[in-house]
Amino acid sequence: MTEEACPARQRTGEVVHDWPVDHLPGLEFDPLLHRLLREEPVARIRMRFGEGDAWLVTRYEDVKTVAADPRMSRALTVDRPVTSMTPHVVAPAGGIGRTDPPDHTRLRRLVAQTFGRKRVEALRPRAQELAERMTGRMLDQGPPADLAEHLTGPLPAQLIGDLLGVPSHDIDRLQAWRGVILSSSHSQQRGDAVKREIADYFRGMARHRTEHPGDDLFSALVAEQAEGGLSMPELISLAVMLVLNGMDAVRNQVSNMVYALLTHPEQLEKLRAEPALLPQAVEELLRFIPHRNGVGLPRIATGDLEIGESVIRDGEVVYVSYLAANRDSTVFTEPDRLDLSRDEAPNLSFGHGAHYCVGAMLTRMEAEVMLSMLLERFPRLRLTASPDQMRWRQGSINRGPEELWVSW
């Protein structure tokens, strides 16, 4: 939908923008986000589902301010039908994404060590082993090959499965549940039914781990639950959050990164010429790629907050757009241009403040491993179809190609 086609309504002297969050091809940036960032960085929006409207904050520094302000509550969104882009709320009530301190602090502490720098680096050899094995199968099979099927999908799924101790034969079931939970095209009833199924799965797995503990994160969480450190709903919500992000977000992020590099050949050549640039390149790809549709979880203001020329009142709903913040021209030079040598402000792709993504370092490591392996083993990697012939995910929160067919 073009900027001009996006309707707006008047609300108490302010314009409310109807935002259907339509499917966008490739890595095209949402035109409404682009315009609001430039012209109305604190705006009112209404999406397809829920009730009422909400504030949307898009400017880099304003986004950081809102995300870090303790007066912005995630817990108060529970049982409140706020305007949203999906018919059901993805994050479960009482889970780490919808709690405030001190509960949020307690839950985050339980998983933070697993995703700290030392533990993530300890996982790198396993990720490299998987990447070598999966790309080796591609080489044996010969071109063309679907990278999403052979590498960017199975590697993060296997790695998060290893972390949680999920049996390999259950990975496909989790993938099917993931597809429904992260969809904006299923009914609320279907979404709720799948949430019950995945909750029952992890509840049963918790009973098994109580009697047969393993050397994995889920076993550690089960032991913590048995000692009263967290409730069973909290245990399940942590497991679901880790699965959804570990399987879906990483798959799409890395698929998008490969696509971006293959459609920006001058940047790809720069990276081939300077392999040491890879960590910095990953940061720029994270900044540049619009990895999701719409916005993430909302917050409820528990006090008045002045942002720019607007005042967010106590009780009002607030969204921030990390995607828009990553394109703020007051922070990034020529923000709509991919530049792997860029060395400016940190990107906000993993959020900011108390709810900063706990798996950020793991995602970065997996991206580095997969991209490095592709650069090393496929010096002539290329897309087999033109960008306008590719199929992209529709009706989903996360953006990415359905398939990523390449040759070499």
Side-chain angles (χ1 to χ4, degrees):
M1 179 174 288
T2 64
E3 296 173 14
E4 292 76 12
C6 190
R9 292 192 295 277
Q10 203 74 14
R11 175 196 177 278
T12 61
E14 298 159 344
V15 172
V16 178
H17 302 273
D18 279 330
W19 190 20
V21 193
D22 288 331
H23 163 71
L24 294 166
L27 301 182
E28 181 179 322
F29 200 78
D30 192 296
L32 179 64
L33 281 181
H34 213 286
R35 181 169 67 80
L36 293 181
L37 174 62
R38 298 193 313 266
E39 301 174 8
E40 197 180 345
V42 184
R44 286 275 187 180
I45 58 164
R46 177 172 294 166
M47 291 177 281
R48 291 170 56 198
F49 302 99
E51 299 175 6
D53 50 59
W55 290 101
L56 174 63
V57 179
T58 53
R59 203 160 41 192
Y60 187 93
E61 291 299 334
D62 292 343
V63 164
K64 289 175 63 178
T65 295
V66 171
D69 196 306
R71 292 172 293 177
M72 293 293 165
S73 169
R74 286 276 187 85
L76 291 179
T77 65
V78 175
D79 296 327
R80 180 167 170 174
V82 303
T83 184
S84 67
M85 58 173 288
T86 56
H88 60 275
V89 180
V90 173
I96 192 170
R98 300 178 74 193
T99 53
D100 301 325
D103 285 337
H104 176 267
T105 308
R106 171 176 55 84
L107 293 174
R108 187 178 179 90
R109 188 180 298 122
L110 292 173
V111 295
Q113 282 191 334
T114 297
F115 296 97
R117 189 175 303 279
K118 288 184 178 180
R119 292 294 295 272
V120 166
E121 283 306 308
L123 287 169
R124 189 181 288 267
R126 172 59 172 161
Q128 290 172 329
E129 173 196 340
L130 290 171
E132 187 167 352
R133 182 193 311 163
M134 292 171 182
T135 54
R137 288 174 184 160
M138 287 173 54
L139 288 168
D140 291 342
Q141 173 186 300
D146 176 13
L147 270 184
E149 177 186 352
H150 286 85
L151 180 65
T152 62
L155 188 148
Q158 187 60 60
L159 206 59
I160 200 67
D162 289 351
L163 272 174
L164 288 174
V166 174
S168 296
H169 57 78
D170 284 343
I171 295 292
D172 287 345
R173 293 174 65 193
L174 294 179
Q175 290 279 31
W177 287 328
R178 167 200 60 81
V180 174
I181 292 175
L182 294 176
S183 170
S184 60
S185 59
H186 288 85
S187 67
Q188 180 173 348
Q189 291 75 15
R190 176 60 176 148
D192 289 342
V194 166
K195 286 181 183 178
R196 288 192 293 270
E197 289 176 22
I198 196 170
D200 287 343
Y201 173 83
F202 281 112
R203 195 175 289 112
M205 189 169 155
R207 287 194 295 268
H208 179 76
R209 284 290 189 271
T210 299
E211 299 177 1
H212 308 283
D215 184 22
D216 55 73
L217 174 59
F218 193 73
S219 293
L221 293 175
V222 168
E224 188 71 27
Q225 189 268 331
E227 295 175 4
L230 75 164
S231 67
M232 181 59 72
E234 289 172 338
L235 169 64
I236 292 170
S237 73
L238 284 172
V240 172
M241 180 272 294
L242 293 170
V243 164
L244 295 182
N245 286 288
M247 287 187 170
D248 199 81
V250 180
R251 172 200 187 277
N252 289 288
Q253 280 279 32
V254 181
S255 293
N256 286 333
M257 288 179 181
V258 174
Y259 175 82
L261 289 172
L262 294 180
T263 53
H264 291 79
E266 75 289 349
Q267 297 298 314
L268 177 58
E269 287 310 307
K270 179 184 296 186
L271 186 56
R272 289 193 185 282
E274 301 177 62
L277 192 64
L278 182 59
Q280 185 174 329
V282 166
E283 294 305 308
E284 170 64 356
L285 289 163
L286 287 168
R287 183 203 67 82
F288 175 79
I289 291 169
H291 64 277
R292 63 166 298 126
N293 288 302
V295 284
L297 294 174
R299 296 166 169 82
I300 307 294
T302 62
D304 292 355
L305 178 66
E306 186 173 341
I307 299 291
E309 298 179 357
S310 301
V311 177
I312 297 171
R313 301 295 183 186
D314 184 4
E316 292 187 317
V317 182
V318 188
Y319 283 96
V320 298
S321 174
Y322 296 117
L323 301 183
N326 282 338
R327 297 293 185 102
D328 190 338
S329 62
T330 67
V331 177
F332 302 102
T333 305
E334 296 184 68
D336 296 324
R337 179 172 59 88
L338 179 66
D339 180 4
L340 300 188
S341 60
R342 187 186 300 274
D343 187 15
E344 295 176 306
N347 69 75
L348 298 182
S349 296
F350 295 110
H352 183 72
H355 289 277
Y356 182 82
C357 177
V358 71
M361 281 190 280
L362 179 62
T363 301
R364 288 183 170 104
M365 182 272 285
E366 291 179 85
E368 289 177 13
V369 166
M370 284 187 266
L371 292 178
S372 177
M373 191 65 65
L374 290 173
L375 290 169
E376 176 185 333
R377 306 191 84 170
F378 303 92
R380 296 178 181 173
L381 192 69
R382 61 188 183 278
L383 296 173
T384 61
S386 62
D388 61 347
Q389 293 175 319
M390 289 183 58
R391 294 191 304 115
W392 295 80
R393 298 180 69 182
Q394 299 189 34
S396 178
I397 291 174
N398 293 324
R399 294 176 62 176
E402 289 277 5
E403 301 169 333
L404 190 58
W405 286 91
V406 295
S407 189
W408 55 89

Coordinates of all heavy atoms in Angstrom, one line a residue, residues 141-178:
Q141 N 25.1 -32.8 -3.4 CA 23.9 -32.8 -4.2 C 24.1 -32.0 -5.5 O 23.6 -32.4 -6.5 CB 22.8 -32.3 -3.4 CG 21.5 -32.1 -4.1 CD 20.4 -31.4 -3.3 OE1 20.0 -31.9 -2.2 NE2 19.9 -30.3 -3.8
G142 N 24.8 -30.9 -5.4 CA 25.0 -30.1 -6.6 C 23.9 -29.0 -6.7 O 22.9 -29.2 -6.1
P143 N 24.2 -28.0 -7.5 CA 23.2 -26.9 -7.6 C 22.1 -27.3 -8.5 O 22.2 -28.2 -9.4 CB 24.1 -25.8 -8.2 CG 25.2 -26.5 -9.0 CD 25.5 -27.7 -8.2
P144 N 20.9 -26.6 -8.4 CA 20.6 -25.5 -7.4 C 20.2 -26.1 -6.1 O 19.9 -27.3 -6.0 CB 19.5 -24.8 -8.1 CG 18.8 -25.8 -8.8 CD 19.8 -26.8 -9.4
A145 N 20.1 -25.3 -5.1 CA 19.7 -25.8 -3.8 C 19.0 -24.6 -3.1 O 19.2 -23.5 -3.3 CB 20.9 -26.2 -2.9
D146 N 18.0 -25.0 -2.2 CA 17.2 -24.1 -1.4 C 18.0 -23.9 -0.1 O 18.0 -24.8 0.8 CB 15.8 -24.6 -1.2 CG 15.0 -23.7 -0.3 OD1 15.4 -22.5 0.0 OD2 13.9 -24.1 0.1
L147 N 18.6 -22.7 0.1 CA 19.3 -22.4 1.3 C 18.4 -22.5 2.6 O 18.9 -22.9 3.6 CB 20.0 -21.1 1.2 CG 21.4 -21.0 0.7 CD1 21.9 -19.6 0.8 CD2 22.4 -22.0 1.4
A148 N 17.2 -22.1 2.4 CA 16.3 -22.1 3.6 C 16.0 -23.5 4.0 O 15.9 -23.8 5.2 CB 15.0 -21.4 3.2
E149 N 16.0 -24.4 3.1 CA 15.8 -25.9 3.4 C 17.1 -26.5 3.9 O 17.0 -27.4 4.8 CB 15.2 -26.6 2.2 CG 15.0 -28.1 2.5 CD 14.6 -28.9 1.2 OE1 14.4 -28.2 0.2 OE2 14.6 -30.1 1.2
H150 N 18.2 -26.2 3.3 CA 19.4 -26.9 3.6 C 20.3 -26.3 4.7 O 21.1 -26.9 5.3 CB 20.3 -27.0 2.3 CG 19.8 -27.9 1.3 ND1 18.8 -27.6 0.4 CD2 20.1 -29.2 1.1 CE1 18.5 -28.7 -0.3 NE2 19.3 -29.7 0.1
L151 N 20.1 -25.0 5.0 CA 21.0 -24.3 6.0 C 20.3 -23.3 6.9 O 20.3 -23.6 8.1 CB 22.1 -23.6 5.2 CG 23.1 -22.8 6.1 CD1 24.0 -23.8 6.9 CD2 24.1 -22.0 5.2
T152 N 19.7 -22.3 6.4 CA 19.3 -21.2 7.3 C 18.1 -21.6 8.1 O 17.8 -21.0 9.2 CB 18.9 -19.9 6.5 OG1 17.8 -20.2 5.6 CG2 20.1 -19.4 5.7
G153 N 17.3 -22.6 7.7 CA 16.2 -23.2 8.5 C 16.7 -24.2 9.5 O 16.5 -24.1 10.7
P154 N 17.3 -25.3 9.0 CA 17.6 -26.4 9.9 C 18.7 -26.1 10.9 O 18.7 -26.7 12.0 CB 18.1 -27.5 9.0 CG 18.4 -26.9 7.7 CD 17.5 -25.7 7.6
L155 N 19.7 -25.3 10.6 CA 20.8 -25.0 11.6 C 20.2 -24.3 12.9 O 20.5 -24.9 14.0 CB 21.9 -24.2 11.0 CG 23.2 -24.1 11.8 CD1 24.4 -24.0 11.0 CD2 23.1 -22.8 12.7
P156 N 19.5 -23.2 12.8 CA 19.1 -22.6 14.1 C 18.0 -23.5 14.8 O 18.0 -23.5 16.0 CB 18.4 -21.3 13.6 CG 18.3 -21.4 12.2 CD 19.3 -22.3 11.6
A157 N 17.2 -24.3 14.0 CA 16.3 -25.2 14.7 C 17.0 -26.3 15.4 O 16.6 -26.6 16.6 CB 15.4 -25.8 13.6
Q158 N 18.1 -26.8 14.8 CA 18.8 -27.9 15.5 C 19.5 -27.3 16.7 O 19.6 -27.9 17.8 CB 19.8 -28.5 14.6 CG 20.5 -29.7 15.2 CD 19.6 -30.8 15.5 OE1 18.9 -31.4 14.7 NE2 19.6 -31.2 16.8
L159 N 20.1 -26.1 16.6 CA 20.9 -25.5 17.7 C 20.0 -25.2 18.9 O 20.3 -25.5 20.0 CB 21.6 -24.3 17.2 CG 22.9 -23.9 18.0 CD1 23.9 -25.0 17.9 CD2 23.5 -22.6 17.4
I160 N 18.8 -24.6 18.6 CA 17.9 -24.3 19.8 C 17.3 -25.6 20.3 O 17.1 -25.7 21.5 CB 16.8 -23.4 19.3 CG1 16.2 -22.7 20.6 CG2 15.7 -24.1 18.6 CD1 17.1 -21.7 21.3
G161 N 17.2 -26.6 19.4 CA 16.8 -27.9 19.9 C 17.8 -28.6 20.9 O 17.5 -29.1 21.9
D162 N 19.1 -28.4 20.5 CA 20.2 -28.9 21.3 C 20.1 -28.2 22.7 O 20.3 -28.8 23.8 CB 21.5 -28.6 20.7 CG 21.8 -29.5 19.5 OD1 21.0 -30.5 19.3 OD2 22.8 -29.3 18.8
L163 N 19.9 -26.9 22.7 CA 19.9 -26.1 23.9 C 18.8 -26.5 24.9 O 19.0 -26.6 26.1 CB 19.8 -24.6 23.6 CG 21.0 -23.8 23.3 CD1 20.7 -22.4 22.9 CD2 21.9 -23.7 24.6
L164 N 17.7 -26.8 24.3 CA 16.5 -27.1 25.1 C 16.4 -28.7 25.3 O 15.5 -29.1 26.1 CB 15.2 -26.6 24.5 CG 15.0 -25.1 24.5 CD1 13.8 -24.7 23.7 CD2 14.9 -24.6 26.0
G165 N 17.2 -29.4 24.6 CA 17.1 -30.9 24.8 C 15.8 -31.4 24.1 O 15.3 -32.5 24.5
V166 N 15.4 -30.8 23.0 CA 14.2 -31.3 22.3 C 14.7 -32.4 21.3 O 15.7 -32.2 20.6 CB 13.6 -30.1 21.4 CG1 12.5 -30.7 20.5 CG2 13.0 -29.1 22.3
P167 N 14.1 -33.6 21.4 CA 14.5 -34.7 20.5 C 14.4 -34.2 19.0 O 13.5 -33.5 18.6 CB 13.5 -35.8 20.8 CG 13.0 -35.5 22.2 CD 13.0 -34.0 22.3
S168 N 15.3 -34.7 18.2 CA 15.3 -34.3 16.8 C 14.0 -34.6 16.1 O 13.6 -33.9 15.2 CB 16.5 -35.0 16.1 OG 17.7 -34.6 16.6
H169 N 13.4 -35.7 16.4 CA 12.2 -36.1 15.7 C 11.0 -35.2 16.1 O 9.9 -35.3 15.5 CB 11.8 -37.6 16.0 CG 11.7 -37.9 17.5 ND1 10.5 -37.6 18.2 CD2 12.5 -38.5 18.4 CE1 10.7 -38.0 19.5 NE2 11.9 -38.6 19.6
D170 N 11.1 -34.4 17.1 CA 10.0 -33.4 17.4 C 10.2 -32.0 16.8 O 9.3 -31.2 16.9 CB 10.0 -33.3 18.9 CG 9.3 -34.5 19.6 OD1 8.6 -35.3 18.9 OD2 9.5 -34.6 20.8
I171 N 11.3 -31.8 16.1 CA 11.6 -30.5 15.6 C 10.5 -30.1 14.6 O 10.1 -28.9 14.6 CB 13.0 -30.4 14.9 CG1 14.1 -30.6 16.0 CG2 13.2 -29.1 14.2 CD1 14.3 -29.5 16.9
D172 N 10.1 -31.0 13.7 CA 9.1 -30.7 12.7 C 7.8 -30.3 13.3 O 7.1 -29.4 12.8 CB 8.9 -31.9 11.8 CG 10.1 -32.1 10.8 OD1 10.9 -31.2 10.7 OD2 10.1 -33.2 10.2
R173 N 7.4 -30.9 14.5 CA 6.2 -30.5 15.1 C 6.3 -29.1 15.7 O 5.3 -28.3 15.5 CB 5.9 -31.5 16.3 CG 5.6 -32.9 15.9 CD 5.5 -33.8 17.2 NE 4.4 -33.4 18.0 CZ 4.2 -33.8 19.3 NH1 5.1 -34.7 19.8 NH2 3.2 -33.5 20.0
L174 N 7.4 -28.8 16.2 CA 7.6 -27.4 16.7 C 7.6 -26.4 15.6 O 7.0 -25.3 15.7 CB 8.9 -27.3 17.5 CG 9.0 -28.1 18.8 CD1 10.4 -27.9 19.4 CD2 7.9 -27.7 19.8
Q175 N 8.1 -26.8 14.5 CA 8.1 -25.9 13.3 C 6.7 -25.6 12.8 O 6.3 -24.5 12.5 CB 8.9 -26.5 12.1 CG 10.4 -26.6 12.4 CD 11.1 -25.3 12.1 OE1 10.6 -24.2 12.2 NE2 12.4 -25.3 11.6
A176 N 5.8 -26.7 12.8 CA 4.5 -26.5 12.4 C 3.7 -25.6 13.4 O 3.0 -24.7 13.0 CB 3.8 -27.8 12.3
W177 N 3.9 -25.8 14.7 CA 3.3 -24.9 15.7 C 3.8 -23.4 15.5 O 3.0 -22.5 15.6 CB 3.6 -25.4 17.1 CG 2.8 -26.6 17.5 CD1 1.6 -27.0 17.0 CD2 3.3 -27.7 18.3 NE1 1.2 -28.2 17.6 CE2 2.2 -28.6 18.4 CE3 4.4 -27.9 19.0 CZ2 2.3 -29.8 19.2 CZ3 4.5 -29.0 19.8 CH2 3.5 -30.0 19.9
R178 N 5.1 -23.3 15.3 CA 5.7 -22.0 15.1 C 5.0 -21.2 13.9 O 4.7 -20.0 14.0 CB 7.2 -22.1 14.8 CG 7.8 -20.9 14.2 CD 9.1 -21.2 13.5 NE 8.9 -22.1 12.4 CZ 8.5 -21.7 11.2 NH1 8.3 -20.4 10.9 NH2 8.4 -22.6 10.2

